[in-house]
Amino acid sequence: MTAPKHFRDRVEIASVRAETESLDNGAAAAAKRRVAGRVLGRRDMGKLVFLDLVDRSGRIQLLCHTAKTGEVDVHLGDIVGAAGSPSKSKRGEPSVDVDAIEILARIRTPLPDTFHGVTDTEARYRRRYLDLLMNEESRRDAILRARMVTAIRGYLDAEGFIEVETPILQPRYGGGFAEPFVTRSNLLDQDLYLRIADELYLKRLIVGGLEKVYELSKDFRNESYSYKHSPEFTQVEWYEAYADYTDTMARCETLVDQVARATIGGTRTTFRGHELDLAKPWARVKFVDALEEHGVWSRDEEELRAKLAGAGVDISKDRTWGQLVDHAYAHFVEPGLIQPTIVYDWPIELSPFARTTDYDASVVERFEAVVAGMEFANAFSELNDSEEQEQRFAAQADEREAGDAEAEPGDPDYVEAMAYGMAPNSGIGIGIDRLAMVLLGRDAIRDVILFPLLREKG
RNA sequence: GGGCCGGUAGCUCAGUCGGUAGAGCAGGGGACUUUUAAUCCCAAGGUCGCAGGUUCGAUCCCUGCCCGGCCCA
């Protein structure tokens, strides 16, 4: 006998469960319902067999009287379909009083311990399917992440943004400070890079007149894992013509506020031991003021070096003023920003794509959004003057020369595009994985990535 | 990259002052008409991460390596 190829007209278990609510203990409704899912519990009384059936929506008990159903040849982990009436057991457990049950897919490898599930971290990452099928919390997280992404799309679509797709394989990489993955095209006989950001292509679309664009993208950075870093991660980036970074601040707050409500029903969450409230508006602090507060701000490289060394920071690997100030920010400021905070107006050295402020040519209109000491968004008033962009790339080349391997490599083709005229615009990148971590209260980025990259098991 | 912790049955874990290992659940066989981590009986299940070393003897002690976690850089 071959296994069935379909089981039609099924309803979700949660809806059948709801139907049982008004029933008395031991009673069954007249209605007939079809449910399907995986058997994760079996209590065999001989002529009466209790099964626990689980689908994406929930769990319900199946009452199988063998007089009606025949022998219940069902093992833990089998995928079955059952037809019967919503009912309550004598003890009041929501159930389906089964008329007929059929095996839709047989389990061949025994299920893990149905009480403890799979708890070994490595096993959960390597065999996520087991984690998902055993652990309701893992299923919930996967579903909520999807709901979060849907809410992000919904917001941007409703605001008139166009979702676009730009290259993952790029002849040049750029738009962030990171080491790329390098690959090779046989056709072109040249090296290609997996994108580290979408920025430069999306802004070409601003030149092209698409005005408001966004992309939900997998980006790749050839670096090690941490609780907030994954070599393969997801961002949403958007760019909006005729807007500056203050407009983008407001959008970022609004989007996160709305997305949180759509995903977890509110703006409060617990993440890494912190009680957080993502409701807008968020705190704002100027980059320079924040560093000054900790006594680690100076425009002079040697003075800054001395201040950091005096504060006990290991600055032996910092070759440039830019690296020093970045280190100072990461060490003294970022970890202390717990509630959502917008850190704005950054040094020009750290921001080759942002326009300068009106009050200081060495400071640019850039902000990062931080929560629980973790950056989750980065935005600018985008530089739209091709000649200035060329100079910024040159300055980055100097940084690179001075020993900063992650400095922007430059992109003449992008400069050429900008020379055709780019509307003033502002853009942002928001870390989807990090936002998911915060909303779901998961402490590690690997807990919100279904199949995190791991070393091959030896 | 550094420090600490871990890897024993399919899963969750125990254990061996160094003498070739146990439990619960799952899987196999059987009993049971209201259970819900059901219960009861029977049988079975292992390269103790890998490789060396010490030893009469190593899963246990030592060294190296592999894989993972946490913290730090």
Side-chain angles (χ1 to χ4, degrees):
Chain A
M1 190 181 97
T2 62
K5 295 199 171 77
H6 59 82
F7 186 80
R8 300 215 166 93
D9 304 320
R10 81 181 176 103
V11 295
E12 289 206 319
I13 284 172
S15 73
V16 177
R17 235 187 130 81
E19 281 189 79
T20 67
E21 260 172 37
S22 56
L23 297 172
D24 294 330
N25 290 1
K32 297 296 180 187
R33 296 286 178 256
R34 287 161 66 78
V35 291
R38 196 181 285 270
V39 174
L40 287 182
R42 179 181 171 120
R43 295 171 296 282
D44 196 330
M45 301 293 130
K47 295 202 170 62
L48 176 63
V49 179
F50 299 92
L51 301 175
D52 290 338
L53 189 70
V54 173
D55 75 5
R56 206 174 68 183
S57 74
R59 175 183 284 248
I60 201 163
Q61 177 170 268
L62 301 182
L63 294 173
C64 302
H65 292 89
T66 54
K68 261 198 295 187
T69 63
E71 188 198 346
V72 182
D73 179 23
V74 172
H75 300 91
L76 278 188
D78 281 345
I79 293 166
V80 305
S85 303
S87 72
K88 263 189 186 161
S89 73
K90 286 181 182 171
R91 296 273 176 89
E93 178 73 20
S95 305
V96 174
D97 193 343
V98 174
D99 302 323
I101 186 166
E102 60 179 311
I103 305 287
L104 302 176
R106 192 68 97 173
I107 192 168
R108 293 236 169 77
T109 304
L111 228 44
D113 185 318
T114 50
F115 183 58
H116 298 95
V118 183
T119 60
D120 179 71
T121 316
E122 187 175 354
R124 291 202 304 114
Y125 295 160
R126 287 192 195 277
R127 297 198 284 177
R128 184 68 86 185
Y129 55 93
L130 274 184
D131 178 38
L132 288 166
L133 81 89
M134 296 302 297
N135 189 341
E136 191 180 346
E137 181 127 300
S138 295
R139 285 198 298 278
R140 187 208 64 157
D141 286 349
I143 291 166
L144 288 185
R145 178 177 166 138
R147 191 178 295 169
M148 182 189 91
V149 171
T150 298
I152 290 170
R153 276 208 172 88
Y155 170 81
L156 291 170
D157 290 344
E159 291 288 318
F161 285 80
I162 296 167
E163 183 171 7
V164 295
E165 295 173 87
T166 67
I168 293 172
L169 292 173
Q170 304 180 345
R172 293 171 176 279
Y173 65 96
F177 296 141
E179 286 277 319
F181 285 91
V182 186
T183 185
R184 181 139 192 100
S185 164
N186 293 334
L187 170 73
L188 303 179
D189 190 27
Q190 73 175 57
D191 285 343
L192 293 172
Y193 304 96
L194 299 191
R195 67 179 167 202
I196 60 171
D198 309 13
E199 176 155 358
L200 301 187
Y201 282 94
L202 290 173
K203 283 192 282 189
R204 284 173 170 93
L205 299 178
I206 295 296
V207 171
L210 293 186
E211 295 181 0
K212 295 164 91 172
V213 293
Y214 76 97
E215 180 167 18
L216 275 154
S217 60
K218 277 288 187 73
D219 292 343
F220 307 87
R221 297 186 178 179
N222 207 340
E223 56 198 21
S224 60
Y225 264 109
S226 79
Y227 81 89
K228 60 183 175 184
H229 292 98
S230 167
E232 177 174 355
F233 66 104
T234 306
Q235 284 199 95
V236 59
E237 287 193 34
W238 78 69
Y239 292 84
E240 177 176 13
Y242 314 115
D244 71 10
Y245 77 148
T246 61
D247 300 303
T248 301
M249 281 179 203
R251 267 203 199 293
C252 179
E253 284 171 308
T254 300
L255 174 123
V256 170
D257 186 295
Q258 283 189 17
V259 164
R261 291 174 205 276
T263 305
I264 57 171
T267 57
R268 289 176 179 278
T269 175
T270 302
F271 173 63
R272 297 213 137 226
H274 301 293
E275 303 283 326
L276 303 173
D277 191 345
L278 303 171
K280 63 176 184 177
W282 299 340
R284 280 163 170 68
V285 58
K286 244 185 209 181
F287 184 92
V288 173
D289 293 349
L291 262 69
E292 254 170 4
E293 230 172 84
H294 290 90
V296 287
W297 170 253
S298 172
R299 259 289 163 195
D300 180 77
E301 181 173 335
E302 286 318 307
E303 190 183 337
L304 183 55
R305 195 174 287 278
K307 283 185 175 186
L308 289 174
V313 179
D314 175 14
I315 38 127
S316 58
K317 284 175 189 148
D318 300 320
R319 305 272 169 74
T320 67
W321 180 85
Q323 287 179 316
L324 284 167
V325 77
D326 193 43
H327 198 161
Y329 171 74
H331 192 271
F332 290 99
V333 178
E334 200 177 42
L337 302 174
I338 303 306
Q339 295 304 323
T341 303
I342 287 173
V343 181
Y344 67 99
D345 288 6
W346 287 58
I348 194 168
E349 288 85 345
L350 302 178
S351 322
F353 299 110
R355 290 183 67 161
T356 54
T357 59
D358 294 336
Y359 64 89
D360 186 342
S362 73
V363 175
V364 297
E365 294 191 355
R366 169 184 178 185
F367 75 87
E368 283 194 6
V370 181
V371 69
M374 177 178 75
E375 174 207 345
F376 68 94
N378 183 26
F380 319 125
S381 294
E382 304 295 336
L383 183 57
N384 63 337
D385 181 297
S386 58
E387 287 177 12
E388 190 176 350
Q389 185 65 68
E390 206 165 10
Q391 290 161 14
R392 297 288 190 86
F393 278 142
Q396 285 294 307
D398 293 344
E399 281 279 309
R400 188 172 277 260
E401 201 109 313
D404 182 353
E406 292 189 342
E408 273 295 330
D411 189 339
D413 183 78
Y414 172 66
V415 173
E416 185 187 349
M418 198 184 280
Y420 283 93
M422 179 188 280
N425 71 99
S426 174
I428 190 169
I430 298 178
I432 294 294
D433 313 280
R434 291 183 178 184
L435 194 55
M437 289 166 72
V438 173
L439 290 180
L440 302 181
R442 304 303 302 232
D443 288 352
I445 197 166
R446 286 160 155 171
D447 288 329
V448 299
I449 294 174
L450 285 172
F451 297 101
L453 182 64
L454 295 179
R455 282 196 178 81
E456 220 167 1
K457 189 92 174 172

